[in-house]
């Protein structure tokens, strides 16, 4: 009976821990690399998006441009016609799939009967449970992972000189690039302009719906949102 009480108390503790962890804020970590020759002396940063032949008339391209435009606006960039633009902004993006293999512990059911109640379907205190006296066996499990990439290149329209080139990259178990794009865009423009050759990790909180808080919906027109939610890790 005493063991049963301890088991129930431990189970309640595990449930409470799981509930606590479920309520914790999770983050998306993105590695950002910047190359910069930015002077920052202009008061009005007018720009226009430039596209490759494959990106012209692309709905996907237009969707990503709206997401990036929101982040650019937070840094005083104003989109205009290409003839009037001081800067040209080019986007590059893509996704790559990989497989990772992880050694996972395996615990076995105990067939031991009797007074210690180790004959139940699974007992964490049993001889082969996670808190039992015998070590677990391990098996290799493979999982798909997806690397999402966004590059933003800013050039001077008049001279063609490259002024800022930033790349944001993150990895997730989800394959959707559109779902990753708000995190990539906000991370890429966090702390703009970063120094030349700077590599940083930016952490953005995820809300309960799996999106960046206050992020605009893809393809919608909305006032710019500041990147204040970003945490930069040197």
């Amino acid at each position: 009976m005493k063991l049963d009480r301890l088991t129930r108390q431990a189970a309640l503790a595990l449930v409470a821990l799981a509930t606590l962890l479920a309520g914790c804020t999770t983050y998306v970590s993105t590695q950002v690399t910047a190359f910069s020759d930015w002077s920052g002396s202009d008061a009005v940063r007018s720009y226009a998006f430039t596209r490759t032949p494959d990106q012209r008339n692309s709905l996907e391209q237009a969707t990503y441009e709206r997401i990036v435009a929101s982040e650019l606006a937070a840094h005083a960039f104003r989109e205009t016609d290409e003839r009037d633009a001081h800067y040209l902004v080019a986007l590059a993006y893509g996704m790559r799939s990989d497989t990772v293999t992880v050694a996972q512990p395996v615990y076995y059911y105990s067939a031991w009967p009797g007074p210690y109640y180790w004959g139940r379907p699974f007992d964490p205190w049993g001889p082969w449970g996670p808190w039992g006296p015998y070590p677990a066996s391990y098996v290799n499990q493979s999982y798909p992972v997806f690397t999402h990439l966004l590059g933003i290149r800013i050039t001077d329209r008049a001279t063609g000189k490259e002024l800022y080139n930033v790349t944001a990259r993150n990895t997730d178990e989800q394959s959707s690039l559109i779902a990753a794009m708000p995190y990539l865009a906000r991370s890429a423009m966090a702390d703009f302009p970063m120094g030349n050759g700077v590599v940083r990790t930016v952490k953005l909180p995820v809300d309960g719906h799996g999106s960046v808080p206050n992020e605009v919906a893809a393809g919608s027109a909305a006032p710019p949102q500041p990147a204040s939610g970003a945490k930069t890790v040197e």
Side-chain angles (χ1 to χ4, degrees):
M1 295 296 292
K2 183 177 181 181
L3 184 60
D4 277 344
R5 285 197 299 271
L6 290 175
T7 301
R8 285 196 298 271
Q9 290 173 0
L12 290 173
L14 290 173
V15 171
L17 178 61
T19 302
L20 178 62
L21 292 176
C24 293
T25 301
T26 57
Y27 291 87
V28 173
S29 295
T30 302
Q31 185 183 65
V32 179
T33 305
F35 296 94
S36 176
D37 189 23
W38 192 266
S39 66
S41 60
D42 52 336
V44 179
R45 298 171 174 175
S46 59
Y47 77 96
F49 284 107
T50 182
R51 304 173 181 89
T52 66
D54 290 340
Q55 292 174 338
R56 293 172 188 163
N57 302 317
S58 167
L59 287 174
E60 182 181 22
Q61 172 74 16
T63 300
Y64 298 157
E65 286 179 0
R66 293 308 96 215
I67 296 174
V68 173
S70 177
E71 301 304 327
L72 288 170
H75 297 279
F77 283 88
R78 179 176 58 86
E79 189 173 5
T80 185
D81 187 86
E82 184 172 338
R83 294 170 298 180
D84 302 322
H86 186 174
Y87 303 107
L88 295 179
V89 178
L91 304 183
Y93 45 84
M95 181 191 67
R96 184 186 67 204
S97 62
D98 294 293
T99 301
V100 296
T101 301
V102 180
Q104 298 280 8
V106 177
Y107 302 105
Y108 297 98
Y109 293 159
S110 172
W112 291 16
Y116 301 106
Y117 295 91
W118 287 351
R120 290 176 292 187
F122 179 72
D123 186 351
W125 286 277
W128 289 281
W131 298 305
Y134 301 118
S137 298
Y138 286 83
V139 296
N140 289 331
Q141 300 245 353
S142 296
Y143 301 94
V145 294
F146 301 90
T147 299
H148 309 100
L149 178 76
L150 170 66
I152 301 175
R153 183 173 183 259
I154 303 176
T155 57
D156 185 280
R157 185 183 66 84
T159 65
K161 179 182 178 181
E162 183 177 85
L163 302 174
Y164 199 69
N165 193 333
V166 60
T167 302
R169 178 185 291 104
N170 62 33
T171 302
D172 195 2
E173 69 276 8
Q174 301 297 327
S175 62
S176 173
L177 181 58
I178 182 60
M181 190 57 65
Y183 301 98
L184 294 170
R186 182 165 293 189
S187 298
M189 294 306 297
D191 299 323
F192 174 86
M194 292 197 294
N196 186 50
V198 171
V199 180
R200 290 181 179 174
T201 298
V202 178
K203 296 176 65 177
L204 288 171
V206 183
D207 68 13
H209 303 288
S211 60
V212 179
N214 299 322
E215 185 60 66
V216 297
S220 65
Q225 301 295 335
S228 58
K231 292 185 177 182
T232 304
V233 181
E234 299 288 349

